[in-house]
Amino acid sequence: MARQLRFNGTGSGGTGCPSVHEDAESGEVIVHGPPLTDTGDIAQLQHLSEGEVAVVVPRELLVDWTPKDATRQARIVSLDEFEGLFRTFSHSAWRLETRRRFASDEATDTYRQFVETGGVDWSLHDPYCELIRSQTAQGKRVERVRVVDQPPTTGQLYLLNNAKRNSGLGEDIRNVWRAEADRLRLPAEDFWLFDSRLVAKLRFDDDDHLVDVELITEPAEVVRYAVIREAAWHHAVPYEEFPASLSDSE
């Protein structure tokens, strides 16, 4: 079975070599770069076995992009503590949303209304609305990119319908097709990035219930998520334009 490799970063200035990847399951690190070819240099290496290749990478590549703590324990917080992050962030809250369904959505009256009628009479005064409206009124940014299947699932259509309400709160919501997300190698993760310094990775069970949230503050990891944000945001389509492309795809 192929490894699940994720790209950590490159020290090349954008040409892609040398670079660091990490095995998402084992934690092993893969480094690639130009091979060491001088026979005098190779002769100085110890324990270089047959079939192995030595590569040359800048020291900065390892400092910037390799994991810093092999024994880092996940910091798990409750959903109440996670909710508090929306009250305390300073300037930006950005989300990548990749799931095909959310069990919590399907338990709501609005979801049942959408399934039955194709529309929803959204409230603008629930606690989430009041909180986000108060934050965006202070000039803070709340943004998200949703990955949408082709054709969209019922849950994704429900959230596309919801985008107009949330946009009215001051959120900037954009969408990207899953095929494009796969081409960009966006991870199949749901996470929030707060103030470009704190990642809140949402963890779900097999029945699509949100169980808890992992907080990540390790600088190299935060930068990796920021790179994901930049790629997703650049290629995503504002929600107002996405319904047109949705109908064109059917």
Side-chain angles (χ1 to χ4, degrees):
M1 180 181 296
R3 293 174 181 262
Q4 296 183 26
L5 299 182
R6 66 187 187 194
F7 175 66
N8 280 14
T10 177
S12 67
T15 60
C17 179
S19 296
V20 173
H21 291 73
E22 186 175 352
D23 188 314
E25 293 187 354
S26 70
E28 292 176 305
V29 177
I30 295 90
V31 179
H32 68 82
L36 186 69
T37 57
D38 185 275
T39 55
D41 293 339
I42 294 174
Q44 300 177 59
L45 299 177
Q46 300 184 41
H47 310 298
L48 185 67
S49 301
E50 183 178 355
E52 293 181 342
V53 176
V55 299
V56 181
V57 299
R59 177 180 294 272
E60 291 80 3
L61 179 78
L62 303 181
V63 171
D64 292 342
W65 297 111
T66 53
K68 302 303 185 294
D69 186 354
T71 60
R72 179 179 69 86
Q73 297 295 314
R75 179 187 170 193
I76 306 302
V77 299
S78 68
L79 299 185
D80 286 341
E81 187 172 348
F82 166 61
E83 182 181 334
L85 296 176
F86 292 91
R87 296 185 173 88
T88 58
F89 75 93
S90 298
H91 54 77
S92 64
W94 187 93
R95 180 175 183 178
L96 179 66
E97 193 172 294
T98 67
R99 301 187 66 80
R100 292 177 169 87
R101 66 182 290 263
F102 295 91
S104 58
D105 284 346
E106 296 177 9
T108 63
D109 291 336
T110 53
Y111 188 89
R112 287 189 287 272
Q113 182 183 3
F114 177 77
V115 171
E116 293 172 0
T117 69
V120 177
D121 182 19
W122 295 104
S123 170
L124 297 176
H125 302 289
D126 64 31
Y128 178 81
C129 290
E130 299 292 352
L131 174 58
I132 297 303
R133 187 184 294 109
S134 68
Q135 295 289 52
T136 58
Q138 299 175 54
K140 300 179 184 181
R141 301 196 319 274
V142 180
E143 303 164 333
R144 74 175 79 204
V145 168
R146 286 183 170 129
V147 176
V148 181
D149 287 277
Q150 213 165 0
T153 66
T154 302
Q156 290 166 350
L157 290 172
Y158 170 76
L159 292 174
L160 286 168
N161 186 282
N162 172 264
K164 183 175 181 180
R165 179 194 73 162
N166 281 21
S167 179
L169 307 175
E171 280 197 47
D172 189 342
I173 300 177
R174 305 185 184 186
N175 302 293
V176 62
W177 293 115
R178 191 170 299 277
E180 178 73 353
D182 291 343
R183 185 187 69 80
L184 296 170
R185 296 188 176 182
L186 301 183
E189 300 176 15
D190 271 40
F191 67 88
W192 283 91
L193 177 59
F194 293 95
D195 296 332
S196 299
R197 66 171 186 81
L198 170 67
V199 176
K201 183 178 177 181
L202 280 59
R203 310 200 317 173
F204 295 81
D205 63 19
D206 292 339
D207 294 320
D208 299 301
H209 292 92
L210 178 60
V211 177
D212 55 32
V213 177
E214 177 184 357
L215 297 187
I216 301 172
T217 56
E218 183 182 351
E221 278 290 278
V222 173
V223 169
R224 184 176 71 84
Y225 281 100
V227 171
I228 292 168
R229 174 189 61 191
E230 294 304 308
W233 196 247
H234 177 73
H235 291 275
V237 178
Y239 91 93
E240 301 95 332
E241 302 172 20
F242 199 70
S245 63
L246 180 64
S247 60
D248 292 343
S249 71
E250 296 175 345

